[in-house]
Amino acid sequence: MLENSKKIVIKLGSSTIVDSKGHFKNEWIKSLIKDIKTYKKNKNFVIVSSGAIALGQKYLRIKKKKLKIEMSQAIAAVGQIHLAGEFQKVFEKNSFKTGQILISLDDTEQRRRALNVKRTFENLFKLNAIPIVNENDTTATSEIKYGDNDRLAARVAQIIGADTLIILSDVDGLYDNTKKKKLIKEVKIIDKNIYSLSDKKINSYGSGGIETKLDAAKICINSGCKMYLANGKVKNPIKNMIKNKIFTCFIPKLSTLDARKKWIISSLNSSGKIYIDMGAAKALANGKSLLAAGITNVSGKFNKGENILIVDQDDNHLARGLSSFSSIEINKIKGMQSSILEKTLGYSTKSEVVHKDDMVKL
Ligand code: GLU
């Protein structure tokens, strides 16, 4: 299963690395490292690990589960040191170097920053150090937060061009809705039916649940990255998953999209919407750029270069792209022929509102 993989991201949920008493699961991590050693040849590994808040709570003796964001920021600041320290100790004992990367939402959602993140990973690989990643919980506020590490791990996998993401959780995978709750071995399309299998249950520490794992799978499927959802409660979780074939595998689409377009299609948020008429929708379907003439309306506030959704009059999502104009400018030029844009705005501009190279059809 992993033989042909070159870059593997392993995501560990809080309940996989912190036991019920709040301690770092040292023995379990050792068993994971043993698995990594088995497969490490010619591969790069990345660990995305939660647990900062859980370890911080233990150290600070805070039992309360529902925390205010300001408090969880501070607890994460305390816990992250412990988390990174534990990883560093146990990896070093096994002759692995590690490096810590704390990521904020904008680091993956703004193109320039995402490329910068990619370079840091590449250089860590050159140094033969395993990146240990978590969300930068200490500065993340509720509006600008992943909140769960599943989507974070998928976005990292996509940005660094990983071919495999393994999410280790407290379930064997995704179960169907029959009485016997059979494990689904393979998923190719993530639609409403698949989402209906999510039971919204989350474990005692994690903030994810199945739903965010499906969101992660969606990103992977669009990025050419295989995603496995498997049980991290057992020791040697990778070996176990491969040997016993207990997991759900999300198979990526064969995609012709380049890295930039893969990044655009998997964006986690959009700053606004551009409404277009039927003529423009047809042009988009034929692979053309979006011109001002076909725009009927715009919602949300955004600057040039931001990620937006292109929708029809019934709000159907037609495409996602980077706008070459701000929402204020679009309001001024909507419905106009491209030849009069410069005259209207009073300065020189591009003629496409969203260029086809900056757009992905949905
Ligand atoms: N980043 C959070 C932590 O390290 C956990 C997020 C999650 O549960 O996925 O505590």
Side-chain angles (χ1 to χ4, degrees), residues 245-269:
K245 300 207 169 8
I246 303 177
F247 53 75
T248 300
C249 180
F250 296 86
I251 312 279
K253 272 189 217 158
L254 275 174
S255 168
T256 50
L257 297 179
D258 59 25
R260 178 179 163 79
K261 290 203 172 183
K262 280 179 182 164
W263 176 81
I264 292 175
I265 198 174
S266 307
S267 296
L268 296 179
N269 44 24

Side-chain angles (χ1 to χ4, degrees), residues 1-2 5-11 44 46 150-167 187-188 190 213-229 248-255 257 262 265-266:
M1 275 162 55
L2 300 183
S5 301
K6 292 267 175 284
K7 270 184 219 164
I8 303 173
V9 178
I10 303 175
K11 186 261 170 181
N44 288 309
V46 172
D150 299 320
R151 291 176 310 143
L152 167 67
R155 203 64 168 134
V156 164
Q158 183 257 309
I159 286 167
I160 66 170
D163 44 56
T164 310
L165 166 64
I166 304 171
I167 294 193
V187 177
K188 286 191 175 146
I190 302 195
K213 292 175 178 58
L214 295 178
D215 293 341
K218 226 172 170 178
I219 296 173
C220 289
I221 281 180
N222 281 325
S223 311
C225 176
K226 219 182 226 183
M227 183 181 121
Y228 294 97
L229 178 57
T248 300
C249 180
F250 296 86
I251 312 279
K253 272 189 217 158
L254 275 174
S255 168
L257 297 179
K262 280 179 182 164
I265 198 174
S266 307

Side-chain angles (χ1 to χ4, degrees), residues 10 21 32 46 50 68 81 125 151 173 190 280 312 328-329:
I10 303 175
K21 292 197 175 114
L32 173 72
V46 172
S50 310
K68 280 208 169 130
I81 295 188
F125 295 145
R151 291 176 310 143
I190 302 195
D312 66 13
I328 296 175
E329 290 171 322

Side-chain angles (χ1 to χ4, degrees), residues 11-20 25 50-51 53-54 57 63-66 147-150 167-173 198-213 229-233:
K11 186 261 170 181
L12 314 174
S14 299
S15 61
T16 8
I17 65 135
V18 180
D19 68 18
S20 55
K25 284 160 73 172
S50 310
I53 297 175
Q57 277 182 292
K63 281 228 171 72
K64 220 169 131 198
K65 288 271 155 30
K66 259 220 148 328
D148 65 273
N149 276 3
D150 299 320
I167 294 193
L168 295 174
S169 175
D170 53 358
V171 287
D172 287 340
S198 145
D199 57 7
K200 304 222 177 337
K201 213 178 73 203
I202 59 165
N203 55 49
S204 50
Y205 289 122
S207 18
I210 290 293
E211 208 164 307
T212 55
K213 292 175 178 58
L229 178 57
N231 205 318
K233 286 277 176 200

